[in-house]
Amino acid sequence: MSSTLLFRGGRAFTPDGFAEAVLVRDGVIAAVGAEADLVRLAPDAEPVDLGGGLLTPGFTDAHIHPVQAGLERAKCDLSEVYGLDAYKAEIAAYAARNPEKEWIDGGGWDMAAFPGGLPHRSQLDFLDRPAYFVQRDHHAAWVNTRALELAGITGDTPDPADGRIERDHDGTPSGVLHEGAMDLVGLLTPRPTPADVDAALMDAQAHLFSLGITGWQDAIVGSYAGSDDQLPAYLSAASSGRLRARVVGALWWDRTRGAEQIPGLVERRAMAEGLDRFRATSVKIMQDGIPENFTAAVIEPYCRCGGTGLSYVDPALLGGYVKELDAQGFQVHFHAIGERAVREALDALTGTDPGNRHHIAHVQIITPQDVPRFAELGVTANLQPLWATHHLQMDELCIPYLGEERASWQYPFADLVRHGTRLVGGSDWPVSSADPLAAMHVAVNRTEPGSSVHATYPTAQTPFLPEQSLDLRTVMTAYTEGSAWINRSPAGVIEAGHPADLVVLDRDPFALDRKDIWTTKVVMTFLDGEQVHG
């Protein structure tokens, strides 16, 4: 393609509204305005026909796990099927195709496919090898009896401090390992080689380009839940130029350690200095788990089962750690799902520098009194909108255990906006689809997109707390300008002087019925004016 491009034949999404055409010269947006004016500016520009679609800035995913996703796509990937019979068929076929593998491993199973959200080891005992399958949310693993035996896990094995071994009524491990207990088996699985990790990163990058994602924040760069440290892969890919996307790595906070790890995080950050496409300027603190397995930190006990979940980092120490990270110029990227974890994160961020652009991801449950604190403290809300629907996991494994009042506090996107909170958007892929347009559909409609695995569930098209819906401009801005801002990326807006990270959509979602937003697809993706997809 020419170094001078004229995008025309549709509309362009700009901070102030829409424009008729966009001129790009040498990888930078040169002008935005009427087509006739831009033709006069550059009569020899190569036209790029939008075909009546919409031109948007490249999307930035502010919370994602691409290397894990790429590795899972290369193993036994259960994310595209649903239900025990389908899982067993997929696993059996994979095992037959790979007779040389010592372990059968992969991921993507859905808790909602099993009674009470719990599969059983016996369901994998048809295999002649140990099996290890990470749950779709990456907060549990499903293993068979052989894997438990190899790990030496018995009824006498204690639960780790940051996890739980699910057990049968007689105390025998049932085959589900929650949170930190995943490592008891996960670390025994064959380690991917550097070449495997590099291939996973490149596969993930190509997939994300196909969805219009030109930048992201990797939400865990470090060793966690059986996964090896991804930092070497990013450093290698960025140094060689193979990493094209604009990426920030959130360095993993080891929740078994304290402030003594901060000098090591500073050293890891320095390893990426000078790289054009990768920086390690954020630190990820996972403060709790998820409500489906009762590890999300809540204030009042869960209904029916009791317990208030887990705070992985001692709240009495958390504030000191966060303030030291803040003083070192790190951005803090929290995982907080339960209302107690959200409050603990907000408390820890009180008095920190908003200029470091701290953010809290997931924010599933927020008490009404804590909603205003985001804007007051200058803390950004990192949304994963795909989760805010009546899907099976929500209706059968969340709401009954949260109770009516607390369930009504979930994903309060509109309330956050009303109080002036800055929003960014992420997917948590491979936990859920990386498709930003599907996420935007949910943020606007609070219903399942028609392509999702839960789309035919009886209440899938009943809006979930519809008063918390966002308008399309707000959520598209979160996935473009907002998420680019959280990464300190120069991209994210269609304005003169910004990099030409651009996406051509096959239709204009602003011209569609809101219930059809999910049907919008990416046709072409450009990074610095160079076409990387389509």
Side-chain angles (χ1 to χ4, degrees):
M1 274 191 167
S2 167
S3 63
T4 304
L5 305 174
L6 179 63
F7 292 85
R8 52 159 302 280
R11 294 199 296 177
F13 178 79
T14 71
D16 300 323
F18 298 95
E20 190 177 33
V22 175
L23 180 67
V24 170
R25 184 177 285 118
D26 297 327
V28 176
I29 298 171
V32 181
E35 180 180 346
D37 293 339
L38 301 192
V39 168
R40 283 192 291 272
L41 275 176
D44 296 328
E46 180 179 347
V48 180
D49 186 8
L50 301 179
L54 184 70
L55 183 71
T56 74
F59 304 125
T60 297
D61 191 310
H63 184 104
I64 192 170
H65 307 280
V67 177
Q68 285 180 319
L71 289 169
E72 287 183 14
R73 281 158 61 93
K75 295 181 182 180
C76 185
D77 184 5
L78 303 179
S79 64
E80 298 300 319
V81 298
Y82 182 78
L84 177 59
D85 290 343
Y87 295 154
K88 291 179 71 172
E90 194 75 19
I91 292 167
Y94 178 84
R97 291 194 305 271
N98 295 277
E100 78 289 353
K101 287 189 175 291
E102 296 180 13
W103 285 70
I104 301 301
D105 58 348
W109 58 273
D110 194 321
M111 293 181 73
F114 299 95
L118 298 172
H120 196 269
R121 56 186 162 78
S122 61
Q123 295 161 331
L124 291 174
D125 283 346
F126 69 90
L127 293 166
D128 60 354
R129 286 161 276 177
Y132 178 84
F133 286 90
V134 177
Q135 177 233 0
R136 186 195 71 181
D137 287 356
H138 283 243
H139 289 271
W142 175 25
V143 302
N144 63 2
T145 301
R146 180 64 181 137
L148 292 169
E149 290 171 348
L150 286 174
I153 300 173
T154 69
D156 296 326
T157 303
D159 290 340
D162 61 346
R164 187 174 78 250
I165 301 168
E166 198 68 42
R167 304 172 194 268
D168 293 335
H169 291 302
D170 64 357
T172 303
S174 70
V176 175
L177 306 172
H178 298 287
E179 305 293 346
M182 296 166 67
D183 278 348
L184 300 176
V185 172
L187 293 177
L188 301 180
T189 61
R191 298 293 86 196
T193 66
D196 293 334
V197 178
D198 180 79
L201 177 56
M202 292 300 99
D203 174 63
Q205 178 175 248
H207 178 67
L208 295 174
F209 285 166
S210 77
L211 297 173
I213 296 169
T214 56
W216 64 78
Q217 184 162 147
D218 191 315
I220 297 179
V221 175
S223 300
Y224 164 72
S227 297
D228 295 332
D229 184 15
Q230 305 91 342
L231 184 60
Y234 275 117
L235 296 177
S236 173
S239 298
S240 68
R242 289 174 294 114
L243 183 67
R244 304 288 305 282
R246 305 178 195 278
V247 180
V248 167
L251 301 174
W252 176 242
W253 178 269
D254 185 344
R255 55 205 188 198
T256 67
R257 302 172 64 201
E260 74 278 3
Q261 66 186 288
I262 293 177
L265 294 171
V266 172
E267 291 176 5
R268 282 165 65 78
R269 176 176 62 183
M271 295 169 70
E273 288 179 0
L275 294 176
D276 179 46
R277 295 290 160 159
F278 178 76
R279 293 176 295 111
T281 50
S282 187
V283 171
K284 167 69 174 297
I285 298 178
M286 184 179 287
Q287 187 57 14
D288 70 341
I290 58 173
E292 292 88 343
N293 66 9
F294 317 120
T295 56
V298 294
I299 295 172
E300 297 296 329
Y302 287 100
C303 303
R304 303 186 188 178
C305 68
T308 57
L310 300 174
S311 293
Y312 291 137
V313 181
D314 184 346
L317 301 174
L318 180 63
Y321 300 154
V322 167
K323 287 173 177 58
E324 188 167 346
L325 290 169
D326 180 69
Q328 291 286 347
F330 279 110
Q331 173 190 89
V332 180
H333 179 160
F334 269 105
H335 163 120
I337 282 185
E339 73 274 16
R340 189 178 84 236
V342 172
R343 180 170 293 176
E344 289 166 355
L346 290 169
D347 288 348
L349 290 167
T350 300
T352 57
D353 181 0
N356 285 329
R357 306 187 185 188
H358 306 303
H359 50 133
I360 304 177
H362 310 324
V363 291
Q364 179 170 345
I365 311 166
I366 313 176
T367 66
Q369 56 265 46
D370 282 330
V371 169
R373 297 181 66 198
F374 282 78
E376 291 167 2
L377 298 174
V379 175
T380 297
N382 188 328
L383 312 184
Q384 285 63 61
L386 276 172
W387 304 350
T389 71
H390 280 292
H391 51 271
L392 275 163
Q393 200 161 306
M394 173 62 73
D395 286 0
E396 297 186 6
L397 300 177
C398 278
I399 292 174
Y401 294 98
L402 294 177
E404 184 176 350
E405 181 183 30
R406 185 162 46 195
S408 73
W409 298 342
Q410 292 186 89
Y411 305 115
F413 301 162
D415 285 349
L416 287 164
V417 170
R418 279 191 283 271
H419 284 281
T421 304
R422 185 187 294 269
L423 305 182
V424 301
S427 65
D428 212 11
W429 185 57
V431 171
S432 43
S433 168
D435 184 355
L437 291 157
M440 292 179 209
H441 175 97
V442 173
V444 172
N445 292 283
R446 306 283 287 206
T447 59
E448 284 291 307
S451 58
S452 81
V453 71
H454 295 298
T456 59
Y457 179 62
T459 60
Q461 301 309 318
T462 300
F464 177 71
L465 303 175
E467 68 276 10
Q468 298 298 343
S469 297
L470 299 176
D471 64 86
L472 182 56
R473 173 164 286 274
T474 296
V475 68
M476 186 172 285
T477 299
Y479 270 89
T480 53
E481 184 177 358
S483 292
W485 178 87
I486 209 73
N487 267 8
R488 297 185 186 273
S489 166
V493 291
I494 296 179
E495 287 184 334
H498 289 266
D501 294 4
L502 301 169
V503 177
V504 178
L505 303 180
D506 67 344
R507 63 202 70 188
D508 184 344
F510 289 91
L512 299 177
D513 185 298
R514 59 189 288 169
K515 297 191 183 306
D516 294 325
I517 293 170
W518 70 274
T519 65
T520 308
K521 304 299 179 188
V522 171
V523 178
M524 291 183 281
T525 304
F526 294 79
L527 228 165
D528 290 319
E530 181 180 345
Q531 190 171 345
V532 294
H533 169 73

